[in-house]
Amino acid sequence: METVSGIPVVDFAALSVDHETISASDERVQAIARQIHEAFSTVGFVYLKNHGITQAKVDETFNVMDKFFTLSKGIKKKYGKKGELDANGWEALEREITDPTKPGDLKESFDIGAFDDKKFRWPTEVPDLQPAVKSLFGVLSLLGDRVLCAMALGLGLPADTFKSYYKDVGTQWGTALLRFNYYPRITDFEHIKPGQIRCGEHTDYGGITLLFQDDAGGLEVVNREKKFVSATPIPGTIIVNIADLMQRWTADKFVSTVHRVIIPEEELKRCTPRRSVAFFYDPDWKAKISCLDGSNKYPSIKCGKYVSQVMKGTFSF
């Protein structure tokens, strides 16, 4: 299997979102399932190529993101979150603290998780943001389902094992979240606090995460030797990783891996903003998560309770 910095690269063509339906008995699907299982049980990260989401769609999303994040702070504040469990809204620079031992992250973010939230106002200053978000949310949900299908098959379980846990995606009862991350260009290095980076060392909280990143670089992942390695941007791919609840759900068969976003050493890239789109594809708020192998290695817990517990203290308000 091809790897980059020890992270496997899997050809996902047989499970691409271009296909209206898939067959779990297809040998190509079974081969993907075996490769996904190997990646998630060792590194916890994988690159997927030929996944079916066009680079044009990703580039369009980044362009729309730029329109929002380059608005004035006063305007963006109108669409800010009021609490750490809000599904929708903007987070200011240094508001999120992914590593509690370090200063706040040098990034802004804009989250959408609940399209039925009547209290949330979409930014009127960027009218093409809402349709772009809805379109990407939909196709990433489908891709997430296909990844979960491969994971189930790799575990020797029915392809639809995870399906019933994701019925409320996109509503206030879902915990799936689409996040736009914007890491502003850094021009005043003297004001960077000791130990501060763009996103501190952490693991993700829920099920799986699907990530598009631009070519600025900076994402690093802990490898099998417990050293940080660069998750180099590869055009046309999406990165997928296991999160904490999924590790618990699979009784530690899949591993949730520590990662971070540093400030690249190259001076040119230091002065360049970085953009990424992260889709946290987590089970529904009320979904009861028990070890899939029946081992009871971890007690059952509802997804919403688990995620809210681990998120406490992540944001400063």
Side-chain angles (χ1 to χ4, degrees), residues 171-190:
T171 75
Q172 293 186 70
W173 291 111
T175 59
L177 189 77
L178 182 61
R179 171 170 293 173
F180 294 165
N181 290 313
Y182 185 81
Y183 305 82
R185 62 191 295 264
I186 297 170
T187 56
D188 190 353
F189 302 107
E190 293 182 357

Side-chain angles (χ1 to χ4, degrees), residues 66-85:
D66 288 343
K67 292 179 184 179
F68 175 77
F69 285 113
T70 53
L71 294 172
S72 70
K73 184 176 180 179
I75 292 176
K76 288 182 288 190
K77 195 173 181 179
K78 294 191 302 181
Y79 308 104
K81 289 186 176 182
K82 303 299 188 293
E84 63 185 15
L85 293 182

Side-chain angles (χ1 to χ4, degrees), residues 14-15 22-31 33-34 149 153 159:
L15 284 166
I22 57 171
S23 171
S25 61
D26 187 326
E27 178 50 39
R28 297 171 301 165
V29 172
Q30 291 290 333
R34 290 191 293 270
C149 169
L153 292 173

Side-chain angles (χ1 to χ4, degrees), residues 69-110:
F69 285 113
T70 53
L71 294 172
S72 70
K73 184 176 180 179
I75 292 176
K76 288 182 288 190
K77 195 173 181 179
K78 294 191 302 181
Y79 308 104
K81 289 186 176 182
K82 303 299 188 293
E84 63 185 15
L85 293 182
D86 280 1
N88 300 338
W90 174 69
E91 296 285 2
L93 193 70
E94 299 185 274
R95 176 66 66 83
E96 187 173 16
I97 308 169
T98 47
D99 182 348
T101 68
K102 291 183 172 62
D105 296 344
L106 287 171
K107 78 170 189 297
E108 302 176 34
S109 61
F110 180 81

Side-chain angles (χ1 to χ4, degrees), residues 70-278:
T70 53
L71 294 172
S72 70
K73 184 176 180 179
I75 292 176
K76 288 182 288 190
K77 195 173 181 179
K78 294 191 302 181
Y79 308 104
K81 289 186 176 182
K82 303 299 188 293
E84 63 185 15
L85 293 182
D86 280 1
N88 300 338
W90 174 69
E91 296 285 2
L93 193 70
E94 299 185 274
R95 176 66 66 83
E96 187 173 16
I97 308 169
T98 47
D99 182 348
T101 68
K102 291 183 172 62
D105 296 344
L106 287 171
K107 78 170 189 297
E108 302 176 34
S109 61
F110 180 81
D111 293 349
I112 292 294
F115 291 99
D116 58 347
D117 183 359
K118 300 298 190 295
K119 296 180 294 182
F120 177 72
R121 293 183 301 141
W122 286 88
T124 55
E125 295 82 359
V126 187
D128 47 352
L129 182 62
Q130 184 176 5
V133 169
K134 283 190 172 183
S135 175
L136 190 63
F137 195 104
V139 72
L140 281 172
S141 297
L142 177 56
L143 182 57
D145 288 339
R146 299 286 169 87
V147 174
L148 291 171
C149 169
M151 290 165 57
L153 292 173
L155 290 166
L157 300 171
D160 61 354
T161 293
F162 294 100
K163 187 174 182 179
S164 63
Y165 297 88
Y166 286 82
K167 292 180 178 178
D168 296 323
V169 172
T171 75
Q172 293 186 70
W173 291 111
T175 59
L177 189 77
L178 182 61
R179 171 170 293 173
F180 294 165
N181 290 313
Y182 185 81
Y183 305 82
R185 62 191 295 264
I186 297 170
T187 56
D188 190 353
F189 302 107
E190 293 182 357
H191 284 80
I192 297 177
K193 298 166 185 169
Q196 191 171 37
I197 57 178
R198 281 179 160 166
C199 185
E201 298 176 14
H202 68 287
T203 53
D204 294 340
Y205 310 135
I208 57 174
T209 303
L210 297 89
L211 178 78
F212 286 116
Q213 55 177 337
D214 65 11
D215 60 1
L219 176 63
E220 292 189 337
V221 174
V222 171
N223 66 7
R224 299 187 201 188
E225 288 73 43
K226 307 302 179 185
K227 295 180 180 179
F228 276 105
V229 295
S230 174
T232 306
I234 304 175
T237 67
I238 188 169
I239 291 177
V240 186
N241 65 278
I242 295 295
D244 296 344
L245 187 60
M246 182 61 71
Q247 176 170 326
R248 176 187 179 120
W249 205 352
T250 60
D252 297 330
K253 289 183 176 65
F254 293 153
V255 294
S256 178
T257 304
V258 173
H259 49 287
R260 67 186 182 185
V261 180
I262 63 166
I263 304 167
E265 290 299 322
E266 299 90 335
E267 188 67 25
L268 176 63
K269 290 185 177 180
R270 278 182 168 177
C271 296
T272 303
R274 178 184 188 270
R275 291 89 46 84
S276 69
V277 177

